[in-house]
């Protein structure tokens, strides 16, 4: 049997939102809006048809024997080299055998299918057994053009052969016409395109049905015996009409992928075919047709082997591995459509010595290193002497391919000084599994994603483009494995033990379940008492939660102790140690309520609430802290409440206990710091029996404890570096609460005790919260208290504060009156300028400011000769001066226009401190 034996797909990760093209260029070409749906794929700056073909071919070769490949056909209309065999570069990168046939197929959009037909014919002829067909295209168009919207970049690879066939070849039919709907002259970068209407009506809609009907007739099949029809056509309506013309139902037709990646040139029929194969069931028939100066149509019938194909990224993997961008200038820069200044460093010589490239081709293009026969050490590059100091054997290295070996980042940097088309230039040390490392460039990632230990895979990319000599040089780069960063950053609790008090219901129960789902072993503590803590306990609450965790496949033990007693606390921790041998997390969550207005707050109610909340946290945390100290790791969470942080009528006992927990945290964070014990506090807002009669019913319904749990889980995890912080959490909203301390004031310079009258006189300064800060500990608080900032000169806005309480009442005239007082003489050395202001609006007018000999003069009216003229609306001008409007934003948004010497206008900020 002859047919397809494997397939692979590659779509560049970057996807440009077509609306970004329209938003930039719609003013010029409004009609492109008609096709501005979805995203088009776009190559990274270091990708081209060769690199994409390598990527698709590698996907196709997964679990296949590379040495069995006896021909490689590369199809593309955008080959980087006109006379250096492009397929040869791909073959060397793939480390295929040397004694195979390699060739390029080019010069038509249907060349992907032509290469397939040719390969299948060769297999049929019996000369070859396995042929790898790779099709890849990165077509350029002028900006703001329909074709820029329609096109995408991409590649596919299809292996054809006569063993383990996944889709049997049933026949093909080809038409060859010199139908020149578009063409690219030998020296042209862009296609010349004839009217779309003609290409659509005379080309696509006639020639594709003709070819498909041809192959059906040839194989004695009818259209209803075909399960999937694959044919590219970027005219959306025409794509549907062609099916209708053939009598096919819409569900038989494979989508043209306009929304997800755009048309990938001569690769598109094959890209779509890989999508069809990925969904196909044994026994189904697929027709694939490729249009371009005629049409090829091929029929395949899927076999049982398709179910045995090794997992690969494939079509879905390629489509789904994406980063959407809306940066159209980036697209233009990456494709060299706009030229930017690259700086002097970009002029460094980059000529590649062809002699070296030939000698080291396996190393450079194939990423082939060495492996020592004597000691098994892997190394890159291969050398005459083994790098293992305990071995150092000579000439002991066999060739060893690194391209498919999993690797991790050992170190990385983002270099803003190095020349890069996508700054910063990202590179670092990559460590291969089993040994071997080298300094690699990172690609297809942002600097923020990189981290030590991140799994990376090697990808074949352009290294430098030597425009002068028309040479792209290639090498291997490291790319984060898709999804690896999410896995690495996943909050997990494998082998960790968590104690959650009061976990028999409400919030504690959800914390317990969520922690267990992520691998923690749980001590579910609950006394099982009533809401006010009265009455005897019951074991059932904790037992129910333990059973739920076990049913989920987790590990948990129940504990029924009372946190309000010393023994209870000790027993809870003992339960953890007895059952699991350690304790990593304590969530002090148990709670009761005994609300009464203050005069009715009996000592019993006062004490009962403090005993459970405050003393309970002390009783459990203290014995747990000892274990955490010994093991050098711990996460402790206190549960406070809005009542404690801000106050609530009828809850004096509860408020006092809840805020006392913050005090406990504040000191514990200091004592735990050197043992990697982090202590934080959460103020939840959730529906539970404690809140059912406090919250309005409709709000209560929205307050699932599941919205609080993610914050608690993060604080409980090893990912959390925070300690000593308080967070409000509930209903999907999260914020930080903190004690801020104002800058304060020194009265009598701190030397003489002030009088109460002095306090009154300084009341505003004592109360000042501008410049307030969070203070780390009591010592830092003393330092902050005795070192208040120097009294500041009154600022422009403040200067008028007494006479005009609303800053908005300040007028441009008042600002210009104040300007000489805000003049910074030191910054004016050597400055000789005249700034002309032309302010529009009811409060506007003309003013000019002359700065010369380190003096400043402000006059109403127009200057004879201005260095630059600043034009603004009165309200924008006031906003800018009072700091509400950023000058750069004002400039870029058009609110501020500057004519004359624009550079000199930048001095204004230095010369005047108006904010
Ligand atoms: P809840 O009543 O559903 O849960 C509290 C659990 O603590 C109960 O299962 C109870 O049996 C247990 N418990 C009480 N006393 C105990 C003791 N001495 N020993 C062991 N277990 C005991 O209430 P919830 O709303 O889930 O509250 C959990 C925590 O969150 C409490 O500390 C509460 O003060 C705090 N809180 C909750 C909210 C909210 O909106 N739900 C708001 C602020 C603070």
């Amino acid at each position: 049997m002859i047919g397809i034996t494997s397939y692979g797909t590659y779509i560049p990760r970057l996807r440009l939102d077509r609306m970004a093209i329209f938003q930039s260029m719609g003013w010029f070409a409004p009609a492109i809006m008609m096709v501005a749906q979805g995203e088009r794929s776009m190559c990274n700056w270091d990708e081209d048809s060769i690199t994409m073909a390598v990527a698709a071919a590698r996907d196709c070769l997964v679990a296949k024997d590379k040495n069995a490949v006896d021909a490689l056909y590369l199809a593309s209309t955008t080959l980087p080299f006109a006379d250096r065999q492009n397929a040869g570069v791909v073959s060397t990168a793939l480390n295929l055998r040397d004694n195979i046939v390699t060739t390029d197929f080019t010069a038509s959009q249907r060349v992907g299918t032509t290469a397939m037909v040719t390969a299948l014919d060769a297999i049929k002829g019996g000369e070859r057994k396995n042929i790898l067909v790779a099709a890849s295209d990165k077509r350029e168009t002028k900006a703001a053009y329909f074709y820029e919207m329609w096109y995408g970049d991409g590649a596919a690879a299809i292996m054809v052969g006569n063993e383990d066939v996944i889709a049997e070849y049933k026949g093909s039919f080809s038409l060859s016409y010199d139908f020149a709907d578009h063409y690219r002259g030998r020296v042209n970068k862009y296609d010349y395109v004839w009217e779309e209407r003609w290409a659509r009506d005379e080309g696509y809609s006639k020639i594709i049905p003709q070819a498909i009907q041809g192959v059906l007739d040839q194989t004695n099949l009818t259209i209803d015996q075909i399960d999937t029809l694959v044919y590219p056509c970027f005219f959306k309506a025409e794509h549907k009409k062609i099916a209708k013309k053939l009598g096919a139902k819409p569900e038989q037709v494979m989508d043209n992928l306009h929304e997800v990646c755009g048309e990938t040139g001569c690769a598109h029929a094959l890209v779509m075919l890989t999508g069809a194969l990925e969904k196909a069931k044994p026994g189904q028939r697929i027709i694939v047709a490729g249009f371009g100066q005629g049409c090829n149509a091929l029929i395949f019938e899927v076999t049982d082997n398709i179910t045995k194909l090794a997992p690969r990224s494939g079509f879905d993997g390629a489509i789904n591995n994406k980063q959407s961008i809306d940066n159209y200038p980036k697209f233009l820069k990456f494709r060299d459509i706009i030229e930017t200044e690259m700086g002097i460093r970009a002029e460094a010589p980059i000529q590649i010595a062809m002699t070296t490239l030939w000698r080291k081709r396996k190393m450079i293009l194939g990423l082939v290193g060495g492996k020592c026969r004597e000691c098994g050490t892997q190394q890159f590059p291969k050398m005459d002497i083994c790098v293992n100091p305990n071995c150092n054997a000579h000439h002991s290295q066999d060739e060893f391919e690194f391209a498919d070996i999993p690797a991790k980042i050992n170190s990385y940097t983002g270099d803003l000084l190095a020349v890069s088309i996508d700054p910063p230039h990202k590179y670092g040390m990559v460590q291969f599994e089993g040994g071997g490392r080298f300094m690699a460039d990172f690609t297809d990632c942002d600097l923020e994603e990189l981290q030590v230990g991140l799994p990376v895979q090697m990808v074949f990319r352009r290294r430098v483009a030597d425009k002068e000599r028309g040479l792209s040089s290639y090498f291997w780069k490291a790319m984060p494995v898709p999804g690896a960063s999410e896995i690495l950053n996943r909050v997990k609790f494998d082998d960790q033990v968590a104690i959650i008090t009061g976990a028999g219901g409400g919030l504690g129960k959800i914390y317990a379940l969520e922690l267990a789902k992520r691998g923690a072993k749980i001590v579910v503590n609950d006394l099982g008492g009533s809401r006010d803590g009265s009455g005897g306990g019951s074991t059932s609450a904790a037992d129910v939660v333990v059973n739920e965790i076990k049913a989920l496949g987790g590990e948990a033990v129940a504990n029924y102790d009372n946190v309000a007693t010393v023994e209870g606390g000790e027993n809870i921790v003992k339960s953890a140690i007895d059952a699991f041998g350690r304790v990593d997390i304590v969530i002090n969550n148990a709670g009761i309520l005994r609300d009464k207005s203050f005069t009715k707050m009996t000592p019993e109610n006062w004490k009962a609430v403090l005993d459970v909340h405050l003393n309970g946290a002390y009783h459990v945390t203290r014995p747990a802290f000892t274990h955490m100290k010994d093991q050098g790791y711990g996460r402790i969470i206190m549960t406070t409440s809005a009542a404690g942080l801000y106050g609530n009528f009828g809850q004096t006992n509860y408020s006092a206990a809840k805020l006392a927990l913050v005090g406990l945290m504040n000191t514990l964070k200091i004592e735990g710091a050197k043992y990697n014990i982090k202590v934080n506090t959460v103020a939840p807002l959730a529906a539970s029996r404690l809140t059912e009669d406090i919250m309005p019913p409709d709000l209560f319904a929205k307050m699932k404890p599941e919205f609080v749990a993610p914050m608690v889980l993060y604080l409980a995890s090893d990912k959390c570096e925070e300690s000593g912080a308080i967070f409000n959490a509930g209903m999907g909203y999260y914020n930080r609460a903190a004690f801020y301390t104002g800058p304060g004031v020194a009265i009598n310079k701190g030397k003489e005790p002030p009088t109460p009258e002095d306090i009154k006189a300084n009341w505003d300064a004592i109360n000042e919260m501008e410049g307030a800060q969070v203070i780390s500990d009591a010592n830092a608080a003393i330092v902050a208290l005795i070192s208040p900032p120097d009294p500041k000169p009154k600022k422009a806005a403040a200067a008028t504060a007494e006479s005009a309480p609303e800053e908005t009442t300040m007028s441009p005239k008042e600002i210009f009156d104040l300007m000489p007082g805000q003049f910074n003489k030191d910054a004016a050395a050597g400055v000789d300028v005249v700034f002309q202001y032309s302010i529009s609006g009811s409060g506007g007018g003309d003013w000019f400011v002359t700065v010369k000999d380190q003096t400043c003069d402000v006059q109403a009216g127009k200057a004879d000769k201005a260095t630059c003229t600043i034009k603004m609306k009165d309200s924008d001008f006031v906003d800018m001066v009072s700091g509400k409007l950023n000058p750069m934003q004002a400039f870029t948004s058009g609110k501020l226009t500057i004519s004359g010497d624009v550079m000199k206008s930048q001095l204004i900020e230095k010369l005047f401190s108006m904010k």
Side-chain angles (χ1 to χ4, degrees):
M1 188 191 292
I2 287 167
I4 297 172
T5 57
S6 185
Y7 67 85
T9 325
Y10 181 76
I11 306 288
R13 172 175 172 261
L14 293 176
R15 309 292 155 82
L16 178 66
D17 184 343
R18 289 194 179 90
M19 277 310 285
I21 306 179
F22 178 76
Q23 271 155 7
S24 294
M25 298 308 296
W27 61 272
F28 173 76
I32 57 174
M33 178 64 187
M34 287 191 291
V35 287
Q37 313 82 20
E39 299 171 327
R40 59 153 292 166
S41 54
M42 66 176 250
C43 280
N44 202 337
W45 71 268
D46 57 359
E47 294 186 286
D48 64 15
S49 299
I50 283 188
T51 66
M52 289 193 293
V54 171
R58 288 177 76 198
D59 196 34
C60 182
L61 286 167
V62 166
K64 290 274 163 195
D65 177 10
K66 284 201 282 194
N67 289 321
V69 174
D70 33 34
L72 169 71
Y73 298 169
L74 173 64
S76 176
T77 65
T78 51
L79 292 166
F81 300 102
D83 185 359
R84 172 191 177 189
Q85 201 192 55
N86 298 274
V89 181
V90 174
S91 174
T92 314
L94 295 172
N95 275 311
L96 299 183
R97 282 188 349 247
D98 291 333
N99 58 337
I100 64 168
V101 171
T102 55
T103 192
D104 296 340
F105 284 68
T106 188
S108 171
Q109 289 303 304
R110 91 182 132 105
V111 77
T113 49
T114 308
M116 268 184 79
V117 173
T118 314
L120 287 158
D121 286 349
I123 304 282
K124 247 192 198 167
E127 274 302 302
R128 315 261 153 210
K129 288 199 173 83
N130 285 298
I131 300 180
L132 184 57
V133 176
S136 174
D137 246 341
K138 178 192 176 189
R139 291 175 295 171
E140 305 299 353
T141 70
K142 287 180 189 160
Y145 194 23
F146 280 109
Y147 288 84
E148 186 183 44
M149 292 281 195
W150 278 322
Y151 288 0
D153 304 325
I158 304 282
M159 177 110 89
V160 297
N162 55 12
E163 266 177 36
D164 302 328
V165 169
I166 60 166
E168 187 183 359
Y169 178 49
K170 292 290 186 186
S172 68
F173 182 84
S174 293
L175 292 168
S176 292
Y177 298 121
D178 183 28
F179 179 74
D181 56 328
H182 74 279
Y183 63 85
R184 196 179 323 137
R186 188 128 195 86
V187 292
N188 295 77
K189 181 170 178 185
Y190 304 111
D191 290 357
Y192 182 79
V193 180
W194 204 252
E195 216 183 322
E196 283 115 34
R197 213 158 33 110
W198 178 68
R200 190 186 63 206
D201 298 345
E202 284 301 306
Y204 285 87
S205 78
K206 287 194 177 153
I207 298 174
I208 296 177
Q210 206 185 341
I212 292 179
Q213 195 53 57
V215 77
L216 285 170
D217 294 345
Q218 194 163 294
T219 49
N220 289 324
L221 290 167
T222 54
I223 195 75
D224 49 310
Q225 291 175 293
I226 304 301
D227 296 277
T228 312
L229 271 173
V230 170
Y231 54 89
C233 173
F234 45 70
F235 302 107
K236 206 160 183 150
E238 207 57 33
H239 187 248
K240 288 190 185 131
K241 277 190 207 154
I242 291 171
K244 215 171 163 191
K245 227 174 198 175
L246 285 160
K249 296 186 204 78
E251 54 272 24
Q252 282 173 271
V253 183
M254 168 98 186
D255 177 65
N256 71 356
L257 310 179
H258 175 74
E259 263 83 10
V260 291
C261 65
E263 197 187 83
T264 58
C266 77
H268 207 53
L270 274 59
V271 168
M272 289 170 69
L273 174 62
T274 64
L277 285 168
E278 206 148 283
K279 289 197 176 53
K281 306 253 168 338
Q284 293 189 332
R285 294 194 188 96
I286 300 172
I287 287 186
V288 55
F291 170 81
Q293 292 89 52
C295 187
N296 303 309
L298 299 84
I299 295 193
F300 295 95
E301 188 172 308
V302 177
T303 74
D304 285 341
N305 283 332
I306 198 135
T307 56
K308 297 179 205 146
L309 205 62
R312 65 207 51 228
S313 164
F315 177 81
D316 279 349
I319 293 287
N320 296 332
N321 177 30
K322 67 165 187 170
Q323 184 191 13
S324 301
I325 65 164
D326 56 7
N327 186 342
Y328 180 57
K330 192 172 205 174
F331 170 83
L332 296 177
K333 173 66 194 159
F334 279 12
R335 302 181 94 83
D336 219 5
I337 294 171
I338 48 173
E339 193 169 356
T340 56
E341 174 56 55
M342 297 299 287
I344 263 174
R345 283 166 198 248
E347 291 167 23
I350 48 170
Q351 187 178 15
I352 309 288
M354 292 300 156
T355 40
T356 312
L357 184 58
W358 166 244
R359 269 200 309 276
K360 304 269 183 197
R361 64 189 183 282
K362 289 225 164 194
M363 176 186 112
I364 297 170
L365 296 181
L367 202 67
V368 174
K371 184 165 183 171
C372 180
R373 270 186 302 280
E374 314 249 319
C375 70
T377 300
Q378 296 168 194
Q379 65 181 77
F380 186 88
K382 184 180 165 207
M383 287 190 298
D384 288 343
I385 302 171
C386 174
V387 285
N388 178 355
N390 300 322
C391 174
N392 283 162
H394 287 210
H395 305 292
S396 64
Q397 308 232 324
D398 289 332
E399 285 184 351
F400 184 78
E401 288 182 35
F402 279 94
D404 293 326
I405 305 293
K408 285 191 176 158
I409 296 180
N410 245 6
S411 66
Y412 68 94
T413 188
D415 186 342
L416 273 165
L417 283 177
V419 181
S420 172
I421 294 171
D422 188 19
H425 182 192
K426 298 164 273 290
Y427 55 91
M429 187 63 83
V430 163
Q431 172 74 49
F432 290 95
E433 211 174 275
R437 52 167 66 177
F438 80 103
M439 211 53 157
D441 287 345
F442 296 113
T443 190
D444 278 5
C445 59
D446 296 323
L447 183 62
E448 297 70 47
E449 286 174 67
L450 299 180
Q451 55 181 311
V452 171
L454 182 72
V456 288
Q457 65 193 46
M458 305 313 292
V459 289
F460 186 71
R461 292 292 170 95
R462 270 179 3 164
R463 184 118 207 287
V464 282
D466 181 351
K467 284 192 198 168
E468 205 178 316
R469 299 169 192 86
L471 178 75
S472 280
S473 69
Y474 299 91
F475 190 50
W476 291 79
K477 298 185 184 179
M479 174 192 96
V481 171
S485 163
E486 288 76 35
I487 294 169
L488 203 66
N489 292 325
R490 198 175 141 79
V491 171
K492 39 182 201 247
F493 299 95
D494 297 337
D495 302 323
Q496 293 199 357
V497 177
I499 292 173
I500 305 152
T501 67
L507 285 157
K509 174 180 176 176
I510 302 301
Y511 302 158
L513 288 169
E514 294 303 316
L515 278 163
K517 282 184 205 162
R518 287 170 184 258
K521 296 168 187 160
I522 315 287
V523 175
V524 179
N525 157 262
D526 208 298
L527 180 72
S530 59
R531 186 176 115 134
D532 66 1
S534 62
S538 127
T539 57
S540 62
D543 289 343
V544 167
V545 178
V546 167
N547 289 339
E548 273 189 50
I549 292 173
K550 287 187 174 163
L552 289 170
E555 284 186 64
V557 290
N559 171 288
Y560 320 110
D561 277 290
N562 182 351
V563 297
T565 66
V566 176
E567 307 75 51
E570 278 167 357
N571 270 339
I572 293 168
V573 176
K574 189 169 176 296
S575 295
I577 303 298
D578 288 351
F580 307 120
R582 57 187 287 134
V583 52
D584 301 279
I585 299 161
V586 170
I587 303 178
N588 290 302
N589 168 76
I592 58 167
L593 279 184
R594 291 198 181 184
D595 296 354
K596 288 276 180 259
S597 62
F598 191 51
T599 50
K600 292 181 190 144
M601 181 62 69
T602 60
E604 296 77 49
N605 286 344
W606 177 266
K607 187 171 177 305
V609 166
L610 263 85
D611 274 349
V612 174
H613 291 276
L614 175 60
N615 297 337
Y618 160 72
H619 294 145
V620 180
T621 308
R622 189 166 162 264
F625 198 80
T626 313
H627 289 283
M628 291 177 175
K629 243 174 103 173
D630 290 348
Q631 75 203 12
Y633 180 85
R635 295 290 181 268
I636 297 167
I637 290 148
M638 306 293 174
T639 308
T640 186
S641 162
L645 295 174
Y646 313 110
N648 198 25
F649 190 90
Q651 293 197 307
T652 44
N653 52 354
Y654 184 67
S655 306
K658 285 305 200 190
L659 198 59
L661 288 164
V662 173
L664 173 56
M665 168 193 78
N666 282 340
T667 292
L668 213 50
K669 85 171 178 216
I670 297 166
E671 294 193 16
K674 72 172 173 187
Y675 306 106
N676 191 15
I677 301 173
K678 316 272 185 207
V679 194
N680 288 290
T681 298
V682 67
L685 186 59
S688 79
R689 66 178 191 172
L690 289 191
T691 46
E692 60 194 339
D693 52 1
I694 300 171
M695 296 289 167
D698 54 336
L699 202 61
F700 187 79
K702 290 185 200 155
M703 301 191 326
K704 285 193 195 156
E706 281 80 354
F707 283 111
V708 179
M711 170 60 84
V712 170
L713 259 70
Y714 173 69
L715 296 175
S717 75
D718 58 3
K719 300 279 183 289
C720 174
E721 289 299 321
E722 194 70 53
S723 197
I726 310 162
F727 299 95
N728 287 299
M731 301 197 299
Y733 298 88
Y734 310 88
N735 64 19
R736 167 132 186 225
F739 292 113
Y740 270 77
T741 305
V745 64
I747 304 176
N748 298 338
K749 296 191 174 160
K751 290 190 179 125
E752 297 290 325
T755 62
E757 289 75 17
D758 289 337
I759 298 290
K760 180 171 182 286
N762 283 281
W763 197 241
D764 283 350
I766 294 169
N767 272 285
E768 176 67 65
M769 289 304 280
E770 197 188 321
Q773 50 175 323
V774 177
I775 289 184
S776 58
D777 59 36
N779 292 330
I782 297 169
V783 175
L785 180 70
I786 61 172
S787 51
D790 288 339
K792 278 181 277 175
K794 289 206 166 173
K795 292 177 178 174
T800 58
E802 274 167 35
S803 53
E806 304 253 327
E807 336 171 37
T808 47
T809 57
M810 207 169 167
S811 68
K813 180 178 177 309
E814 284 170 313
I815 291 170
F816 284 107
D817 288 348
L818 283 167
M819 251 175 130
Q822 310 302 323
F823 180 59
N824 183 357
K825 191 168 163 259
D826 295 340
V831 176
D832 183 359
V833 286
V834 179
F835 301 122
Q836 177 71 56
Y837 287 86
S838 172
I839 309 295
S840 61
S842 55
D846 292 318
W847 285 268
F848 64 96
V849 180
T850 310
V851 177
K852 197 176 179 183
D853 301 330
Q854 290 188 283
T855 64
C856 160
D857 179 43
V858 180
Q859 301 281 338
K862 287 198 170 145
D864 289 342
K865 199 167 174 233
T867 312
C868 58
T869 302
I870 292 130
K871 287 190 182 166
M872 279 191 103
K873 225 173 92 189
D874 51 356
S875 53
D876 290 338
F877 177 68
V878 173
D879 281 354
M880 189 174 81
V881 171
S882 58
K884 285 190 209 150
L885 177 64
N886 176 294
M888 188 48 85
Q889 272 168 5
F891 185 67
T892 49
S893 65
K895 288 183 175 175
L896 160 66
T897 59
I898 307 171
S899 54
D901 190 341
V902 180
M903 291 309 290
K904 289 267 167 61
S905 69
Q906 294 187 11
L907 288 170
I908 297 172
E909 235 177 324
K910 281 191 199 146
L911 293 171
F912 301 94
S913 47
M914 294 296 286
K915 268 177 247 161

